[in-house]
Amino acid sequence: MKNHRVALSFVLLLGALGGMLDGSLALIAIDQLAQSEEYMDKIETYRGFEIRAFEREEGRWRAEIRKADGSMLKILIGDSGHRTSITTPADTLTAETSIDEVKKAIDAGGLS
């Protein structure tokens, strides 16, 4: 969410500058910002879980898991705790890899 606010603020600033500068410069900057969208959070719903991949540092992705209906998560492996969300402990190189790792844990029955 923080990345979205920063991006929106940047776009608004560019829009304001576009009125003062050549409009084509502002359009180029907005196009470059849109191309950098690959570094924004990626959210996917899978089997009743919401999985949000986020880049904690450049090239280091993790995923946060929560139930899509907002109920508590029950971790069936390990400490058997109940939480509203959990975050994967290991980094991956891409958002897709982080999401795939969570899907494997869900399919293996590690969360309910």
Side-chain angles (χ1 to χ4, degrees), residues 42 53 59-62 91-100:
K42 299 197 185 294
R60 295 174 182 255
W61 290 85
R62 292 198 180 179
D91 294 329
T92 64
L93 297 175
T94 67
E96 292 77 15
T97 304
S98 288
I99 290 171
D100 288 344

Side-chain angles (χ1 to χ4, degrees), residues 71-90:
S71 63
M72 296 294 279
L73 268 173
K74 182 172 184 184
I75 303 166
L76 303 176
I77 299 170
D79 68 2
S80 299
H82 290 76
R83 298 181 179 91
T84 56
S85 69
I86 59 170
T87 300
T88 56

Side-chain angles (χ1 to χ4, degrees), residues 16-35:
L17 288 174
M20 298 184 316
L21 301 172
D22 183 309
S24 63
L25 290 176
L27 291 176
I28 291 169
I30 289 171
D31 184 54
Q32 288 176 343
L33 179 65
Q35 290 176 14

